[in-house]
Amino acid sequence: MGIFEIIGPAMIGPSSSHTAGACRLGWVAGRLLAEPPRRALFHLHGSFLATGRGHGTQEALLAGVLGVTPDDERIIEARDFAERSGLEYEFFPVDLGPQAHPNSVRIVLEGSTRQVETAGSSVGGGSIRIFEIDGLACEMSGVLEALVFWHQDEPGFLARLTAVLSSVQVNLAGIRTSREQRGARAITVVEVDGAIPTEISGVFSRMPSIRRSVIIPPLPAS
Amino acid sequence: MRHQFQTTPELLALCQENRWGVAEAALASEVELSGKPEAEIRARMEAYYLQMKDSVRRGLEITQRSRSGLSGGDSRRVLAHASGESVGPLGAAFERCIAYALAVLETNAAFGRIVATPTAGSSGVAPACLLSWQEQRQAENPRAAHGLFTASGIGKIIGHGACFSGAQGGCQAEVGSASAMAAAAICELEGGDPGQVVNAAALALQNTLGLICDPIGGYVEAPCMMRNGLFAVHAFGAAAVSLSGVQSIVPFDEVVATLREVGNRMPRIYKETSEGGLATTPTGLRFKSKPLQQK
């Protein structure tokens, strides 16, 4: 655990878990969509549902999917901002089960060409964990830069992936693949130390088994 | 990774081996972990300290009640009392420390900018303690900001052994952790050795065990604000006791393990759900906001 996970972030109140963490969860969802969101459905679980209102959780989630960061005062007027941005949104209660962290949310985000579904938790002090993308289990804390791949499960995929990354001297901090079943659609999340050279996206777009890839920079103010 | 630590024995071994204080050990661990230069990390911490002082200043200017009506103007009242003739027997600094912590939480409730240390709901403790220390000792900003490294070193051990989330561990995980971190920071700024610094954290943390998270109406205002104010002076108490040479019977890591155990066994109505505690008293219920309805 880095010391700035403990001291910081500098953030707009009132709650690090219910405001800043919620904003970050929305922010990651927005980054995964990688196009302007048109419609957002938020399914709130546990304490997010129970006390979220007084903490501005809904506003923070909304602001986050629109790319607003936790230290930005626009969080307060997120509903206006959403309206101006043409974003339709709705909030629902959900029970993600007893294993889910009490501060959890499932976000379904639609843009003009695609839809992304993420589930994540705000685990305290503004830190977050994304534990599911498009129904497949993953693990992402947002502290490190991450690469997310939507791809086809096939032999040698990870070997080719890591070969590309090592060719540009990117050090892998963690890698995890989840798939529906053998040979079916899969998601791989790679967390790295430092920054990923952006030109690498071109290489990945030429790999036939990769449907889409996104670079998620480290969380703002983390 | 030679400079990482997750437990007290690991921290104290690093300190002894390198003749470091807890602050230097925390700094070294961050240099190693992030790969960033020491100067950059120090600058970031100092910037956080200045933002903390801003959040105190801004809170002390608030005269209006918050949207919920639960807070606002209270830090000014306490500060005025501290500065007046009827100041209590422990003196103005004691009361100012309380006022500073309240001020940060008032800024927070007014959707102002604060620094989560370790969380927003507990963000008043460290600024109140460090600013009070700075004023009393007439120290420069970088010196007071150095205390934040000590605080973060203690925070690393708590984060490893327990958590900072009120929803997971109750208020003991938030204000309890903040108070332990601040006690350690004050102890080290006052010249305590690493053993005394960790001991100060142990003393502070054990007195917050069992503290529930029961925000009235779901707002981070009451009782959060007063918990910050009164647990800030609590941190000074723990630091003083540790510097006197008195040892906590139970060592810090075992107190952290207890924090985790109590948090895990705490009923969920006391973990930031506003379904118990002060939130469901007849008075507390008057501030209840409407929950989200199933369609």
Side-chain angles (χ1 to χ4, degrees), chain B residues 31-93:
Chain B
V31 169
E32 188 179 58
L33 205 59
S34 68
K36 289 182 178 145
E38 184 181 317
E40 186 181 326
I41 294 165
R42 278 192 187 280
R44 184 167 174 195
M45 198 62 105
E46 276 178 46
Y48 274 150
Y49 182 61
L50 296 180
Q51 285 182 302
M52 287 179 182
K53 286 172 75 168
D54 270 346
S55 67
V56 172
R57 196 175 312 130
R58 188 161 164 198
L60 288 170
E61 287 166 2
I62 291 172
T63 52
Q64 292 198 324
R65 297 300 277 180
S66 63
R67 254 187 350 196
S68 68
L70 286 161
S71 71
D74 297 331
S75 62
R76 287 174 74 91
R77 276 182 205 102
V78 176
L79 188 67
H81 187 266
S83 320
E85 283 178 7
S86 54
V87 61
L90 289 186

Side-chain angles (χ1 to χ4, degrees), chain B residues 4-24:
Chain B
Q4 299 307 308
F5 59 91
Q6 295 180 319
T7 63
T8 299
E10 290 169 5
L11 168 63
L12 294 183
L14 268 181
C15 289
Q16 194 178 10
E17 193 182 315
N18 299 286
R19 299 181 175 221
W20 283 335
V22 172
E24 283 79 18

Side-chain angles (χ1 to χ4, degrees), chain B residues 23-182:
Chain B
E24 283 79 18
L27 178 58
S29 79
E30 187 65 17
V31 169
E32 188 179 58
L33 205 59
S34 68
K36 289 182 178 145
E38 184 181 317
E40 186 181 326
I41 294 165
R42 278 192 187 280
R44 184 167 174 195
M45 198 62 105
E46 276 178 46
Y48 274 150
Y49 182 61
L50 296 180
Q51 285 182 302
M52 287 179 182
K53 286 172 75 168
D54 270 346
S55 67
V56 172
R57 196 175 312 130
R58 188 161 164 198
L60 288 170
E61 287 166 2
I62 291 172
T63 52
Q64 292 198 324
R65 297 300 277 180
S66 63
R67 254 187 350 196
S68 68
L70 286 161
S71 71
D74 297 331
S75 62
R76 287 174 74 91
R77 276 182 205 102
V78 176
L79 188 67
H81 187 266
S83 320
E85 283 178 7
S86 54
V87 61
L90 289 186
F94 178 82
E95 296 180 18
R96 269 209 305 272
C97 179
I98 298 170
Y100 295 162
L102 302 187
V104 177
L105 269 280
E106 285 180 328
T107 300
N108 188 51
F111 297 95
R113 195 174 280 110
I114 54 93
V115 181
T117 310
T119 65
S122 59
S123 60
V125 178
C129 292
L130 290 172
L131 178 54
S132 296
W133 180 84
Q134 185 182 14
E135 286 179 354
Q136 290 305 112
R137 296 302 187 213
Q138 296 172 349
E140 300 292 326
N141 284 325
R143 187 78 197 119
H146 191 71
L148 287 175
F149 284 106
T150 312
S152 66
I154 294 302
K156 275 169 84 92
I157 295 174
I158 299 175
H160 173 71
C163 71
F164 302 118
S165 156
Q168 214 177 351
C171 190
Q172 53 166 8
E174 295 202 32
V175 166
S177 299
S179 194
M181 287 157 56

